[in-house]
Amino acid sequence: MDVLIIGSGGREYSIGYALTKDENVDKIYFAPGNGATDELGENIAISDFNELATFVKDNGIDLTVVGPEDPLVNGIVDVFKEQGLTIFGPSKAAAQLEGSKVFMKNCLQKYGVPTAKYIETSSLDEATEFIKTMSAPIVVKADGLCAGKGVIIAKSHEEAIEATKGMLSGESFGDAGSNVIIEEFLDGYELSVFAVCDGKDYVVLPAAQDHKRLLDNDEGPNTGGMGAYVPTPLVNDELYQKIEDRVIKPTLKGLDEDGMPFTGVLFIGVMVVNGEPIILEYNVRFGDPECEELMALFESPVSDMLYKAATGDLKNADVRFKKDTYAVGVVLASENYPYKSSTPAEIIVDDIVHEDLKNNSYIAYAGVSRDEDGKLMATGGRVLVCVGLGKSIQEARDRAYMLVGQVHFIGKKCRTDIAYQALKQ
Ligand code: AMP
Ligand code: GLY
């Protein structure tokens, strides 16, 4: 089959990379892709949903996979389905789970899914009253999409009120902050759990742990994610079962009853507090950088899962992962990430002569482009992800960091402690 991947990040690169090894897949297109995806397939410069649908029809593309949240929230799946095309992702209605934190929190409450106590408001007075009843730290969230940056964890009441003011005035996040959520701080460890759904059935993928903060020891500002590993030993069968029973099943049932059956991948941001899963948020796509590790662990063809999920036939999908294998991914970011853009810098990757490393690692390219001479340049915030595989987390991590040492660009920075929570167990 021929596949179109929508997006331009490391997540989309990793899906494409997995599909290049997939016996079912012939040709891969990326819209728009990045400076490295053109080595896996063909980049096409179309963004309008109707024009993309026409491209898909004209080129006989069998499956479209949507990577990022923006096109999902803006209804790409509805446009494609109206035209009879096969696409992996949720409808515009279901994508509101990520598009609006207020919508998401209201769903969690309605479907009885455990989540942090909160209020939703557009009034500073109401927010201030509620904040005064809480003990710090206090979490303040902008309602709309903010590329992972719309959450402030305030250390004091004053800071929480300031953050709320900034959001409601439009100063911090524009329209995305015109409604806010104020919620209690949950103290625990985070997991990223992915349920692939076809509107009726679901498959839970091995759980991942991301590292959201910029700096080692989880310090510094929140980012889109600085590295992740899969599977995490911080989940056992009992916890998986609780997540299925208390979270996935009621959510999918509730969405279905509300006329928004979920297809695609439901990304469940879980905080485990005293052994109990509490839901921080839903996203409606694969996590980035979690996807980069997950894709490397598939034993079965990824296309089978994606196609069957998109066509309501997930129960017949072959979904298997490499046995006793772990993947660790370390994000290399550009100098000024996540504050501002950085000067483009040439990327040099040393020839990898070490057989062991060559066979057990890969680079997922994200914020990269080609200059006029064809040189690969680091242009984005998160530039690439070095993924290592191994029979233990330690081995996978060693390989990931060996690969980090082979990649050079000015301003390169990364965390040095990815997977530390698993290793200190
Ligand atoms: P969100 O976009 O809601 O996932 O928030 C981004 C990050 O902020 C999460 O991954 C957590 O690390 C942190 N966070 C969000 N809500 C809370 C909360 N109620 N308690 C503690 N940390 C939180
Ligand atoms: N890695 C977290 C996210 O994709 O939102």
Side-chain angles (χ1 to χ4, degrees), residues 1-3 23-28 60 62-63 303-304 307:
M1 68 172 87
D2 291 354
V3 183
E23 68 230 24
N24 301 332
V25 175
D26 303 308
K27 178 146 195 200
I28 307 169
D62 305 280
L63 170 68
S303 62
D304 195 60
Y307 189 81

Side-chain angles (χ1 to χ4, degrees), residues 11 210 212 224-225 267 281 283 285-290 382:
R11 168 182 46 213
D210 186 17
K212 294 257 165 69
F267 169 171
E281 63 162 354
N283 295 310
R285 50 164 177 90
F286 284 109
D288 192 349
E290 294 93 324
R382 292 187 292 172

Side-chain angles (χ1 to χ4, degrees), residues 85-130:
L85 300 172
T86 302
I87 184 164
F88 178 85
S91 64
K92 182 174 184 174
Q96 291 177 84
L97 279 183
E98 178 157 4
S100 163
K101 288 199 191 297
V102 169
F103 176 87
M104 182 260 300
K105 288 293 280 193
N106 290 341
C107 284
L108 290 172
Q109 195 171 46
K110 182 170 174 197
Y111 307 152
V113 177
T115 188
K117 280 201 216 71
Y118 72 104
I119 61 157
E120 160 217 341
T121 184
S122 54
S123 146
L124 182 60
D125 288 344
E126 202 182 338
T128 307
E129 280 307 302
F130 187 68

Side-chain angles (χ1 to χ4, degrees), residues 310-332:
T311 52
D313 192 25
L314 196 56
K315 65 175 180 309
N316 292 316
D318 177 19
V319 185
R320 283 172 294 118
F321 292 88
K322 295 190 170 111
K323 282 227 158 27
D324 302 321
T325 308
Y326 297 84
V328 174
V330 179
V331 170
L332 299 192

